[in-house]
Amino acid sequence: MGIYLPIAELSANVIVLLAMGAAVGFLSGMFGVGGGFLITPLLIFYNIPPAIAVATGANQVIASSFSGALAHLKRGTLDFKLGTMLLIGGIVGSTAGIYVFALLRSIGQLDLFISLLYVALLGTVGSLMMIESLNAIRRSKSGVAPALKKPGQHNWIHRLPLKMRFRASKLFVSVIPVLVLGAGIGFLSSIMGVGGGFIMVPALIYLLKVPTNVVVGTSLFQIIFVAAYTTIVHSTTNQTVDIVLAFVLMIGGVAGAQYGAKAGQKLRGEQLRALLALLVLAVALRLAFDLFVRPQDIYSLSGIGGGHI
Amino acid sequence: MRRAAAMLALSLCAAWGGMAAALAQEPAPENIQIGLSTDRVAITTDFSGADLTIFGAIENADPLINRQGRYDVIVVLEGPARPVVVRRKDRVLGMWINTQSETFENVPVSYSVATTRAMRDITQPASYRQLSLGADNLHIRVSDDTESSPATIEEFTAALRDRKKAVGLYSERIGGVQFLSANLFRATVSLAPNVPVGTHRARAFLFRSGVFVKETSAQLAIYKSGFEQTIYRFANNHAFWFGIFAVLLAMLTGWIGRLVFRKD
């Protein structure tokens, strides 16, 4: 069953798109990430022009994050103050990212930059999470209680000035790393069409030592706004948000997300993190393969200024 | 005796040839006409590519040549021309990245051909080139400010055609033109799922015994139907509000999705 995508200007199979949205939604609900880091490469594999895949991915991330954040709001596992600080950084980062995006698109290196960023980030984050979660699984098997947050232990981040208290997270930490983290994720979000949950979640857990139960909700809260901002700016500067494509993905996504969240509750934290790490590494490997193995076709076409043709 | 028979056959042939020439001079020259059943094709939500049928007729066809099947027709549906950048990936530091590029000025976005038989059997390559007919013979002009050698331009032109064929925008359908009667023919050309919107031109070329005779053309507008066009126009003319709308739609979907599918 075909559906015509008015902005991408091509026809795609609606069943494939729904399945894609549902699969990603399931994983995103399970792991508490937006799922943009999966949906964007999937759309590119499915021949959607990269610029449209990125902007539309950001749009569909809003739906699944909003849906997830509502659930966390009800449970009270959402730190508004921390989320707002991350958000302020995020808006600054997004703005910078969108200018870099337009620049790279015009010189034809957008695909390379997106692929490199994905490989580097997904590879690093995936490996680190994998090591940590495997260690945690081993420790829990040998009967030692896992301790992510050791009260007496402070790293360099905790010595920075401008400290601020975040009550819901039971945290007293400098605002600088929070803003920088937000900005970095906002930058990536606008370039890669991702909300940044897959970086935000480990960064909040490992770097800022935020309690794990507050991390997912807070991360989703800030992703909603960064992804919304990214969607609006992409729409304004590049006109690349395909609302029909986004809507079909959202329908699959919100349904999948609720089932995924249910499935996620049956797994233990470290098992969940190990699975997420595996998924992240698989995407990184697939993209690295594209980058380092001779492509089937070494030529590509684009319109003037990088627009699709 | 045998020699005499050969002489007779030869003179008979000459007589036939003379008669044919005399006949060909008398009637008006052949002409070709085509008609589109519609001059507008709407792309609707469920569009997933289509076939377009074009009817046509040969006027003043020579019955003898017609009987021998020596009339050939090539029908082309040519999309609007747009500039295109072709980029080549090369291996740099172990990675395949875009390096060299070439800009072409007037590339038809789509080019769909239907023929009575394989193109190489209809006429000579030189004649296709002269007519700029067929995906491989299109005159594609490279940007004026290029500094590349003719060999490089040739390479990029070939790559451009290959990519266009690979995504289905340049297609060829042998046997896509069928004669329904002595003079009447029907051509079926493909509209790819990613066919560009805009004014397309249907062109029909008539060949007699491998010689180009006549060309005719008609215009066809391919446009997005009401809903698709509204979205496209909204996205381009009110880009900011379109973005806001996309965000609100996403939030609404997320909220409804939670109500409908909630599992906790």
Side-chain angles (χ1 to χ4, degrees), chain A residues 103-251:
Chain A
L103 179 76
L104 289 167
R105 196 166 91 145
S106 68
I107 60 172
Q109 299 298 1
L110 179 65
D111 301 4
L112 169 73
F113 196 74
I114 291 180
S115 295
L116 271 180
L117 262 183
Y118 263 113
V119 172
L121 273 171
L122 297 181
T124 315
V125 172
S127 310
L128 289 176
M129 278 182 82
M130 184 59 99
I131 293 166
E132 183 278 328
S133 53
L134 287 182
N135 282 340
I137 289 172
R138 207 173 303 133
R139 268 200 307 274
S140 70
K141 268 191 185 148
S142 58
V144 184
L148 270 178
K149 193 182 178 186
K150 293 169 193 153
Q153 192 189 346
H154 285 273
N155 55 19
W156 59 271
I157 284 171
H158 294 85
R159 288 195 293 273
L160 291 169
L162 293 172
K163 293 212 172 196
M164 200 180 251
R165 190 169 297 282
F166 299 101
R167 287 217 160 71
S169 309
K170 301 183 188 73
L171 211 64
F172 184 59
V173 70
S174 162
V175 76
I176 294 169
V178 179
L179 289 175
V180 168
L181 185 64
I185 288 168
F187 183 79
L188 295 174
S189 170
S190 55
I191 288 185
M192 300 161 69
V194 297
F198 71 97
I199 308 171
M200 180 74 86
V201 171
L204 290 181
I205 295 176
Y206 299 125
L207 293 180
L208 296 183
K209 316 275 183 204
V210 177
T212 313
N213 61 348
V214 188
V215 165
V216 176
T218 309
S219 151
L220 288 177
F221 167 77
Q222 97 96 30
I223 287 170
I224 296 170
F225 291 95
V226 173
Y229 181 75
T230 307
T231 306
I232 292 168
V233 177
H234 268 305
S235 168
T236 312
T237 58
N238 302 314
Q239 284 98 43
T240 44
V241 178
D242 195 311
I243 202 162
V244 174
L245 175 59
F247 188 65
V248 176
L249 293 172
M250 282 174 208
I251 293 174

Side-chain angles (χ1 to χ4, degrees), chain B residues 182-245:
Chain B
N183 302 341
L184 198 64
F185 64 85
R186 179 181 59 201
T188 311
V189 291
S190 322
L191 298 179
N194 48 356
V195 68
V197 293
T199 305
H200 292 235
R201 196 152 63 112
R203 302 165 76 191
F205 297 80
L206 175 65
F207 294 85
R208 183 185 58 202
S209 310
V211 180
F212 169 67
V213 182
K214 191 85 184 173
E215 179 197 337
T216 182
S217 70
Q219 301 241 325
L220 173 75
I222 295 186
Y223 66 101
K224 293 170 188 163
S225 78
F227 175 65
E228 277 67 31
Q229 180 58 25
T230 307
I231 289 180
Y232 185 81
R233 209 179 294 150
F234 186 32
N236 280 280
N237 298 348
H238 308 280
F240 174 74
W241 292 107
F242 182 77
I244 299 276
F245 177 72

